[in-house]
Amino acid sequence: ETGSCCIAQLACCCGSAGCSLCCDCCPRIRQSLSTRFMYALYFILVVVLCCIMMSTTVAHKMKEHIPFFEDMCKGIKAGDTCEKLVGYSAVYRVCFGMACFFFIFCLLTLKINNSKSCRAHIHNGFWFFKLLLLGAMCSGAFFIPDQDTFLNAWRYVGAVGGFLFIGIQLLLLVEFAHKWNKNWTAGTASNKLWYASLALVTLIMYSIATGGLVLMAVFYTQKDGCMENKILLGVNGGLCLLISLVAISPCVQNRQPHSGLLQSGVISCYVTYLTFSALSSKPAEVVLDEHGKNVTICVPDFGQDLYRDENLVTILGTSLLIGCILYSCLTSTTRSSSDALQGRYAAPELEVSSFPFPPGLPLCFTDTEEQQQGKEGPRVIYDEKKGTVYIYSYFHFVFFLASLYVMMTVTNWFNYESANIESFFSGSWSIFWVKMASCWICVLLYLCTLVAPLCCPTREFSV
């Protein structure tokens, strides 16, 4: 058993075979899922490397504990203290290599319809050689001539790609809200209990949004001062009210009978989350009290003690950042997400009354007939013989954009020169305004889906 497992993993690393979970207690895994898992693992490795490069703590620890550290740095021509391997410029180079890696595979996998072609075998296997290629591309970026010109030009490319990645997530969120409401509304034709489910979930959504805004008004504002926070909370709360009124207005209902408060509740919850995230990312305001001591205002009192443990905040924040980006990548690379971005939706009569979990990322595995027949066979289920579960090129394109988003986020967007991972979670104006802009763009996109049918009555809209 151990020998066959080693042979299978060797075929996975050096051949076109799919990767499996090499453990008797582990379930069989689908090839489409194992492939995405491996690419995600490569992505995580590079992101962790970028976070290490941006950490001043790690740099100091390495200098203290690694023997002959300075001699080693001079030997690899990375500077006296390896300064070329740390900081924002090093992250730019590494992310350039990762972005090129995913972009090459995006071009390589264009118009693949099944897993039998030669290009599909390359996409689904040869993981050892891909790891070598990724490492070579990330390392090779350090030898690009005229580094100053490269870094300046690559920064603008990264900003465009980062904003495009955010835009895709916002578009898919709006599509998710519409699809959820349409699915559950379709269920009311056969079971009236779906009306109760719609009402309950809508009530929960608005309770979360309202409660969140109230709590932020309590903890992020004070009677005197904090005017910016008060204005932003008022504006974003007003936007939530606006989209709710527009969603149920008679003119919108006439053109879009499926429009309702569930969609606006989902968007309101996301607006509340982004508002909280933006206020948490805002640099702290320090004033002098009546005793002449520095006092931080416009932030919760209980949060000040947490931020004193810098390492804890850095580790937790970095883990959450990686998790959120990875979840966004995987949920936005399904075939239905790709179709939604291209304006292709299932016909209303084909909609199923269910919660719209992203297809291709099942919560549990069910045994199909083909899988039942292979119970005693290989630990990999080849589920793409007749057709691909997801669009390979689109999958790589999303990870290409995610590479740029990681590059800009870890280097603090436009405040890159003074950026480090330890201060990343203590506040930054760049991150604050990126999150607030994302919040307003999300509202604008949702309003467009409501108002567009009114502005263009002769055109058919699918949402």
Side-chain angles (χ1 to χ4, degrees), residues 388-410:
T388 57
V389 174
Y390 59 101
I391 300 176
Y392 292 172
S393 58
Y394 175 67
F395 171 85
H396 289 293
F397 181 70
V398 170
F399 269 89
F400 162 73
L401 295 180
S403 303
L404 301 179
Y405 177 76
V406 166
M407 181 185 79
M408 298 304 295
T409 302
V410 172

Side-chain angles (χ1 to χ4, degrees), residues 68-83:
F68 311 107
F69 179 75
E70 293 185 359
D71 294 336
M72 182 182 66
C73 292
K74 292 177 181 177
I76 61 176
K77 298 181 180 180
D80 294 339
T81 56
C82 286
E83 61 268 14

Side-chain angles (χ1 to χ4, degrees), residues 32 79 115 205 226 252 323 352 359 403 419 436:
S32 61
S115 62
M205 291 292 176
C226 305
V252 171
V352 181
S403 303
M436 290 308 303

Side-chain angles (χ1 to χ4, degrees), residues 41-112:
L41 180 61
Y42 286 179
F43 181 80
I44 292 174
L45 289 175
V46 178
V47 173
V48 171
L49 177 62
C50 290
C51 292
I52 292 174
M53 287 178 164
M54 291 299 296
S55 173
T56 55
T57 302
V58 172
H60 290 153
K61 293 292 183 181
M62 290 176 63
K63 186 176 181 180
E64 292 175 2
H65 295 91
I66 296 180
F68 311 107
F69 179 75
E70 293 185 359
D71 294 336
M72 182 182 66
C73 292
K74 292 177 181 177
I76 61 176
K77 298 181 180 180
D80 294 339
T81 56
C82 286
E83 61 268 14
K84 292 183 180 180
L85 300 180
V86 296
Y88 79 94
S89 61
V91 172
Y92 275 25
R93 297 182 181 101
V94 169
C95 287
F96 173 79
M98 180 167 64
C100 289
F101 173 82
F102 283 113
F103 188 72
I104 289 172
F105 275 93
C106 174
L107 299 178
L108 180 68
T109 55
L110 283 172
K111 298 186 181 299
I112 292 180

